[in-house]
Amino acid sequence: MNLKSTPHSVKLWQLHGTDYEPQRPPKLKAETRFSSWTPLNDKQRNLQLFEERVNLVLHWFDLWTDTQRKHLLHSLLSRGSKSQLKYCRDLLIETVPVTHADFTAILPRFLSLYVMSFLSPRELCSAAQVSWHWRILSEQDCLWADRCIRRGWFLPYTPGEKEYGAWKNHYVSCVSWLTPREASKPYGTLNQQSPGLMEEEEERSEERRIRQKIRDVLQVEKRLSMSSRRPWGYAKPDGSRGGSMHAGRSSSGLTSSSWPSLCWQSKAAQSSSICFSVDKKQTVEGAQSLERVKTSRVNRTAAAHTTSNCSPAALLLLVSNRIPAYELVLSGVKAGVIVVLYDYRETLPTLLMEVERTVSGLPVQRVGLLAPGGTEEIHLLHDCSLSERTLLTHDHREFWEKLCAWVTPTQQGGGIDIFCPLAASASGVTLLQSLSALTDLQVRAPAGLVTGSFQNILSEWSGGDDGAALLDQHPTAPALQYMSDGVLQAWCRQAQWMEEALQELRRTLEVQLQQSSLQARGRALGHFLWEKLCLDKMCVSRELSEALTEGLTALTEQEETRPLEFLSSFLLQWSEEENEEDSSLVKKDSLPNTSLLLEQPQMALDWRGLVARELHHSEGLYLRRLSSILKVYQEPLTAALNSNRAILSYADIEIIFSQVTVIQQLNSVFQADLQTRMQQWAADQCVGDVFLKLCSKLSVYTNYLNNYTLTLGTIDKCREAKPAFRAFLKRADRTLSTHMLSLQELLLCPVWRIQEYVTLLQALSSNTQLDHPDHTHLCTALSTMLRLRHFIQTIRRNFETDRLLEETQQMIQNCPSLREGNRQLIRSQDAVLLRSPDDQIPDSLRTFEQVADVGLFLFNDALVLTRRKVHHTPFTVSHRSTHTFLASVALSSLSVREITHTRYVSHAFVLEGPTRSWVCATDRGEDRENFLSVLRLTISSSLRGHQ
């Protein structure tokens, strides 16, 4: 039926609404419901209309996105009944059966790999044929590496990040149908080296074979010599064959079997006694072959020693910062020893780069290693320990081979000294042997015959010249090559105790020490760049820069005793070759201070003139620092305030910088007056009147000093509350414009300058005659400056007193307020509180028992007693003390009485108050005498104050 002929068509329903009532044909008797527009009586029309609506919904469904489709399905399922949902479930199970799902697509990747790990290799190969995704999973290295390693099949290389299937291919090539030789051809084994090291490995195997032959000969000789020895260890005087072997040995009485061989040398091959059970011709040929191996190895590393002819080889000492009290070790290093203090948290490549940068290609005679360790291993780095098992790993082997490339051969005294008692155990000796064979150098280590934290370094060391691990005649000779004897012994015996003290110091002052070090280096660099080179005034052209560069390069290549003259002549020659017209300019720019240098010796005896010139020069530096405060800080902050982008308010800017502006103006006038006097300087010239003019306006400095604490407090408050000001300070502080100083340090310059004025005035006064017209003015100015300096010291002392009082208030728990009047802390003393069972017994016969530890805090008007508790830190010797308020006594009502030393008590005294008394004692007599003398003086001062 056509839709257009249908009165109640979908289009009409779509265009109009449910309230639309069309004209019903007279012959149509079917009843309809306007809410759904679905005929109820006519089943044919009902079915037809339902199919039309389903087709329309499906058409819309095809046009919707995936998200919209899912939303429709969710809405339909949420409205369905249980029977309808069960029907959907059955339909889904029939269409997408759960039992046939791909578990690799449903489970996480690690679970899929775990399931596949239970398959056999043949089953894994079959699984790889299922699909591309299954092949990626079944060829993962985690599934095949363990199967190869259990059978002893190892990859000769490390697979790349994006490479997979390497271990599977290796397994397939090493299965039972291939022999081990056939399997090692394409893939190799764990012990096989890379192709570039095949030649070296062959040489080493040949060297080991020859060593074994000679070792067998030495064993035969030893057995024969032992049969002809006297019981006390000396050979028979009849010239037996064993005599030649022991004639050159040390008098220590140890034989070659006492210690395993750490380094073999060719001298043993030349001994005439090696001719018993092995053919002599065969032995000589082996020794010659070994010499060829050693010669070729030395030739390969000769490139690292090209500078050995021009400079003697030095000693290299590697020191770990995990060594206790390494600061003392560094202070005792001898001259000619190159020290590398490395961080314990570094890696081997980083350590190697640091050593390479320090050595700079120079030959090294011996390498010393001072790191934590024991008798079996060395804790070289945080996660890298050197032991018998880890030496042959790739990282350690590469590190030691590259490190020893800078060491001279053994024939020239080269070797390695390890400051760990490795020679005290069999594993350690094996490690030394392996390291000696790896580097072809002599390796020495302490035998560990002395107990203590690091005192084993002071014991005998293993080493020798004939291939056996003998002991040196001087036990600590290897260690004394690097450090002085006194410092070494002091460090070895007290390293652990000093480390405890240094740990407390680092914990307390680590941040301050680091900042102080960085600031000191920054100030030195800023002073050099700003004051010496004058970067703010220097404008060097490109031609002059090139000329200076080539001149300095030529100067470094020559050994000149007069470098300034050589550089000046070079620049003159350069200018003549380039352009004769510019020679005067180059000479003027390159030597700006020639006149001053020539005039300096003539004025060397004029001490008064020298002081005056220093005054003028230092005043210019002082003014530049004050100007930097205004230019770098005040002007940008004021400009930001005027542009409605305020960083600080107007009041804060005035508090911080107003006094600096006044001081800068005052000292600018002072410097101009000095400039005038210095231009007309003579023996009778005066500068005291200029100082008196400055001293008449020192109220500016007084106001600045009174507001100095407020200024610093304002800066700290604004820095904490205003992020914009914090960022501004971070950009401006410690730059070349601020002479590498911060704002707080620049604000301290007026305080420093007052002390400099006093020093310069004292120097001027001492070098001015009494009859000189300037002497009276200088003395008056000096007395004024001394009063100002005393005022500064008073302010500083008051601030220090307040700080100590605040720290004491925080230290004593449950203590009443100490901020009363002009109270000051004078002295504190640790003591013990004693108690006697019977007070009627005389002091000479009375016994005392210790009740508690107390702290005595002496103020100018009272004495505070506290109960002191000592808390020791576990596993260390350090401790901390806490104080709890016990009592306080006014000095006006306190009396002191000493107790005579007896066999029962010593260093004791009695503090008697108005209501009770305390018997205290100190550990030392000096502490008691000092405390009681200060206490009596304070009591006397307090009584005079009350009167």
Side-chain angles (χ1 to χ4, degrees):
M1 181 179 294
N2 192 0
L3 291 175
K4 293 182 180 181
S5 61
T6 305
H8 304 289
S9 63
V10 176
K11 291 185 178 180
L12 291 177
W13 171 79
Q14 189 176 9
L15 293 176
H16 302 280
T18 56
D19 58 346
Y20 174 72
E21 184 177 358
Q23 297 294 331
R24 181 178 298 180
K27 295 183 179 181
L28 184 61
K29 297 181 179 180
E31 297 181 2
T32 60
R33 182 174 298 176
F34 287 96
S35 61
S36 61
W37 290 90
T38 303
L40 298 179
N41 299 330
D42 193 347
K43 294 183 179 180
Q44 183 178 359
R45 290 189 177 185
N46 190 357
L47 180 61
Q48 181 182 357
L49 186 58
F50 174 73
E51 291 178 355
E52 290 175 358
R53 293 179 177 178
V54 170
N55 293 331
L56 182 60
V57 173
L58 294 178
H59 175 69
W60 290 343
F61 188 81
D62 295 336
L63 297 179
W64 288 341
T65 61
D66 182 69
T67 305
Q68 294 172 340
R69 294 179 182 181
K70 291 179 180 178
H71 181 66
L72 176 62
L73 294 176
H74 175 72
S75 301
L76 294 176
L77 293 176
S78 61
R79 293 171 180 263
S81 61
K82 290 186 178 181
S83 61
Q84 295 169 355
L85 293 177
K86 290 180 181 179
Y87 173 78
C88 294
R89 181 195 61 185
D90 298 338
L91 183 61
L92 290 175
I93 291 175
E94 183 180 356
T95 306
V96 187
V98 180
T99 55
H100 297 168
D102 186 2
F103 72 93
T104 60
I106 299 176
L107 298 178
R109 182 185 179 89
F110 73 96
L111 290 179
S112 301
L113 292 174
Y114 178 73
V115 172
M116 287 189 174
S117 64
F118 293 97
L119 301 179
S120 63
R122 188 179 298 275
E123 293 171 347
L124 285 175
C125 293
S126 301
Q129 302 176 7
V130 173
S131 63
W132 177 85
H133 182 62
W134 280 52
R135 178 186 175 186
I136 295 297
L137 291 177
S138 61
E139 291 186 356
Q140 292 297 317
D141 291 340
C142 60
L143 299 176
W144 294 93
D146 186 59
R147 290 177 169 84
C148 293
I149 293 174
R150 284 202 302 264
R151 292 168 175 79
W153 302 335
F154 299 91
L155 277 178
Y157 68 97
T158 302
E161 295 181 358
K162 298 183 179 180
E163 181 182 1
Y164 72 94
W167 283 96
K168 177 186 176 181
N169 296 333
H170 187 61
Y171 183 90
V172 173
S173 300
C174 296
V175 288
S176 57
W177 57 79
L178 289 179
T179 63
R181 185 181 300 275
E182 293 173 347
S184 63
K185 288 182 180 180
Y187 292 96
T189 59
L190 177 65
N191 298 325
Q192 181 178 348
Q193 305 295 332
S194 59
L197 300 176
M198 289 296 296
E199 181 181 356
E200 184 177 355
E201 181 62 27
E202 293 177 359
E203 295 174 355
R204 289 182 178 178
S205 61
E206 181 69 17
E207 182 180 349
R208 287 194 294 268
R209 185 179 61 83
I210 297 172
R211 285 186 180 183
Q212 185 62 35
K213 287 184 179 181
I214 297 176
R215 194 176 292 111
D216 295 340
V217 176
L218 290 175
Q219 292 295 334
V220 174
E221 180 199 3
K222 175 188 171 184
R223 286 195 295 268
L224 293 176
S225 61
M226 290 295 291
S227 62
S228 59
R229 288 184 60 182
R230 292 180 180 271
W232 49 86
Y234 291 97
K236 292 182 179 181
D238 56 354
S240 60
R241 294 179 177 178
S244 61
M245 187 74 180
H246 298 280
R249 298 290 177 89
S250 174
S251 61
S252 59
L254 295 176
T255 61
S256 60
S257 62
S258 300
W259 299 92
S261 177
L262 301 184
C263 180
W264 188 89
Q265 293 187 1
S266 59
K267 292 182 180 180
Q270 301 175 1
S271 178
S272 60
S273 61
I274 310 177
C275 58
F276 292 104
S277 60
V278 181
D279 188 15
K280 182 177 180 180
K281 179 179 179 181
Q282 199 175 26
T283 305
V284 173
E285 291 177 355
Q288 294 176 355
S289 176
L290 181 59
E291 287 297 328
R292 288 195 300 270
V293 171
K294 289 180 174 291
T295 304
S296 62
R297 180 173 298 179
V298 172
N299 292 335
R300 287 198 308 272
T301 59
H305 309 301
T306 54
T307 60
S308 60
N309 295 328
C310 59
S311 61
L315 299 176
L316 175 63
L317 180 61
L318 305 180
V319 181
S320 172
N321 65 348
R322 291 286 293 182
I323 288 294
Y326 61 84
E327 297 87 348
L328 183 60
V329 176
L330 298 180
S331 66
V333 174
K334 292 185 176 180
V337 178
I338 303 175
V339 183
V340 177
L341 178 63
Y342 66 90
D343 193 350
Y344 186 69
R345 298 165 296 181
E346 291 180 356
T347 59
L348 286 176
T350 306
L351 176 58
L352 191 62
M353 291 176 58
E354 188 174 352
V355 174
E356 183 179 3
R357 184 173 60 253
T358 305
V359 174
S360 301
L362 297 177
V364 178
Q365 185 177 5
R366 300 192 70 87
V367 176
L369 177 60
L370 182 55
T375 59
E376 297 182 356
E377 62 180 359
I378 308 169
H379 303 297
L380 191 59
L381 297 173
H382 175 64
D383 54 352
C384 183
S385 297
L386 178 63
S387 61
E388 179 187 358
R389 300 183 303 274
T390 61
L391 176 62
L392 297 180
T393 58
H394 176 72
D395 295 338
H396 280 283
R397 184 175 60 187
E398 182 180 6
F399 171 77
W400 287 104
E401 288 179 351
K402 291 183 178 180
L403 177 64
C404 295
W406 298 302
V407 183
T408 58
T410 306
Q411 294 80 1
Q412 302 178 11
I416 303 174
D417 298 321
I418 300 177
F419 290 69
C420 291
L422 297 176
S425 65
S427 301
V429 171
T430 306
L431 173 60
L432 296 178
Q433 289 178 334
S434 303
L435 186 59
S436 176
L438 177 65
T439 60
D440 194 25
L441 294 173
Q442 182 191 33
V443 183
R444 298 183 297 189
L449 303 180
V450 178
T451 59
S453 56
F454 286 90
Q455 296 185 38
N456 46 60
I457 300 177
L458 303 177
S459 65
E460 296 174 328
W461 283 56
S462 62
D465 296 332
D466 54 354
L470 300 178
L471 298 179
D472 295 330
Q473 295 180 357
H474 303 284
T476 59
L480 294 180
Q481 293 180 354
Y482 301 90
M483 289 176 284
S484 59
D485 189 10
V487 175
L488 179 63
Q489 292 191 13
W491 176 77
C492 290
R493 293 192 174 96
Q494 302 181 17
Q496 197 66 32
W497 302 100
M498 289 185 294
E499 177 64 14
E500 298 291 343
L502 288 174
Q503 282 181 357
E504 293 295 328
L505 181 62
R506 295 191 194 106
R507 187 182 300 110
T508 306
L509 301 175
E510 182 176 8
V511 179
Q512 290 83 350
L513 290 176
Q514 291 179 355
Q515 292 179 354
S516 300
S517 176
L518 292 175
Q519 293 171 9
R521 285 179 285 178
R523 285 192 292 267
L525 179 62
H527 178 76
F528 175 75
L529 294 178
W530 197 265
E531 302 298 330
K532 300 298 181 182
L533 297 183
C534 299
L535 289 182
D536 56 337
K537 302 178 180 179
M538 183 178 296
C539 182
V540 181
S541 62
R542 181 177 179 182
E543 296 180 357
L544 181 57
S545 177
E546 294 178 357
L548 289 174
T549 303
E550 294 202 8
L552 294 175
T553 304
L555 180 62
T556 55
E557 296 177 354
Q558 303 291 334
E559 295 182 358
E560 291 290 336
T561 58
R562 306 170 72 181
L564 292 178
E565 295 183 0
F566 173 80
L567 184 59
S568 62
S569 62
F570 181 86
L571 293 176
L572 288 175
Q573 183 179 0
W574 174 278
S575 61
E576 291 175 357
E577 294 177 356
E578 294 293 332
N579 192 352
E580 295 181 359
E581 296 180 358
D582 298 332
S583 61
S584 60
L585 180 61
V586 173
K587 184 176 181 180
K588 182 179 179 180
D589 293 341
S590 59
L591 299 173
N593 298 324
T594 304
S595 60
L596 295 177
L597 293 175
L598 294 176
E599 294 176 1
Q600 190 71 16
Q602 299 177 2
M603 296 184 296
L605 298 178
D606 186 10
W607 295 105
R608 193 167 181 270
L610 288 176
V611 177
R613 283 191 294 274
E614 173 61 25
L615 173 63
H616 179 261
H617 173 72
S618 59
E619 187 68 21
L621 176 60
Y622 174 56
L623 279 177
R624 284 195 293 272
R625 290 181 176 178
L626 293 179
S627 301
S628 64
I629 298 177
L630 303 179
K631 292 181 181 179
V632 179
Y633 296 98
Q634 185 187 26
E635 293 180 2
L637 292 174
T638 306
L641 180 64
N642 296 333
S643 61
N644 295 328
R645 296 180 179 179
I647 300 176
L648 289 183
S649 63
Y650 178 79
D652 293 335
I653 295 177
E654 284 296 316
I655 292 174
I656 298 174
F657 301 106
S658 60
Q659 298 297 328
V660 178
T661 304
V662 179
I663 292 177
Q664 197 266 346
Q665 295 174 356
L666 175 63
N667 283 84
S668 297
V669 177
F670 176 67
Q671 200 234 5
D673 295 340
L674 285 178
Q675 179 71 24
T676 304
R677 300 298 174 89
M678 293 305 300
Q679 291 176 354
Q680 303 173 359
W681 182 257
D684 56 347
Q685 186 63 265
C686 298
V687 293
D689 55 341
V690 179
F691 261 109
L692 287 179
K693 182 180 177 180
L694 175 66
C695 292
S696 63
K697 300 180 180 180
L698 284 183
S699 59
V700 175
Y701 279 89
T702 304
N703 296 333
Y704 178 83
L705 295 172
N706 289 329
N707 296 325
Y708 177 69
T709 305
L710 177 62
T711 301
L712 291 183
T714 304
I715 295 175
D716 295 338
K717 180 188 66 176
C718 295
R719 183 181 179 277
E720 183 177 358
K722 300 179 180 180
F725 183 61
R726 188 186 307 118
F728 173 77
L729 289 180
K730 187 175 182 181
R731 291 192 304 268
D733 282 348
R734 294 189 176 87
T735 59
L736 288 178
S737 301
T738 61
H739 304 265
M740 303 303 291
L741 299 174
S742 63
L743 176 59
Q744 292 84 349
E745 294 170 345
L746 287 172
L747 292 176
L748 197 58
C749 290
V751 181
W752 297 338
R753 190 57 182 167
I754 297 300
Q755 178 60 43
E756 293 175 356
Y757 283 151
V758 172
T759 304
L760 292 172
L761 283 173
Q762 289 175 346
L764 282 173
S765 301
S766 62
N767 290 283
T768 303
Q769 300 296 331
L770 295 178
D771 55 349
H772 196 280
D774 200 25
H775 186 269
T776 304
H777 294 164
L778 290 176
C779 293
T780 305
L782 177 59
S783 61
T784 305
M785 287 295 174
L786 286 174
R787 287 195 299 269
L788 183 59
R789 188 183 68 172
H790 178 71
F791 175 69
I792 295 175
Q793 293 174 352
T794 302
I795 295 177
R796 180 182 299 177
R797 188 164 50 250
N798 293 337
F799 175 77
E800 191 70 20
T801 300
D802 295 340
R803 185 181 63 83
L804 290 176
L805 200 63
E806 182 179 358
E807 292 179 355
T808 306
Q809 182 76 54
Q810 296 176 358
M811 184 188 305
I812 304 175
Q813 301 177 5
N814 303 328
C815 181
S817 178
L818 298 176
R819 292 183 175 273
E820 295 179 359
N822 296 324
R823 181 171 293 166
Q824 300 178 7
L825 177 64
I826 298 181
R827 183 186 172 88
S828 61
Q829 178 65 49
D830 293 338
V832 294
L833 185 63
L834 305 179
R835 183 178 61 186
S836 176
D838 190 358
D839 297 338
Q840 303 299 326
I841 303 177
D843 292 342
S844 59
L845 302 177
R846 189 185 305 176
T847 60
F848 294 90
E849 61 179 355
Q850 180 176 343
V851 178
D853 295 328
V854 295
L856 305 176
F857 293 88
L858 177 62
F859 297 90
N860 58 340
D861 60 345
L863 177 67
V864 176
L865 286 82
T866 63
R867 184 180 296 273
R868 182 169 57 93
K869 294 183 179 180
V870 180
H871 304 276
H872 288 271
T873 306
F875 307 106
T876 62
V877 296
S878 60
H879 64 275
R880 61 184 181 89
S881 301
T882 58
H883 295 266
T884 305
F885 179 77
L886 186 62
S888 62
V889 183
L891 295 183
S892 58
S893 59
L894 180 66
S895 60
V896 183
R897 179 171 57 87
E898 298 186 19
I899 297 179
T900 308
H901 293 288
T902 64
R903 59 183 299 183
Y904 305 108
V905 66
S906 59
H907 316 313
F909 54 93
V910 180
L911 301 174
E912 295 180 349
T915 58
R916 58 173 300 184
S917 62
W918 299 270
V919 180
C920 302
T922 59
D923 294 336
R924 300 189 310 162
E926 294 85 353
D927 295 339
R928 188 191 71 163
E929 298 300 330
N930 294 333
F931 177 75
L932 292 183
S933 62
V934 174
L935 178 60
R936 290 190 178 99
L937 290 175
T938 308
I939 293 176
S940 301
S941 301
S942 177
L943 293 177
R944 286 196 300 268
H946 285 290
Q947 294 175 358

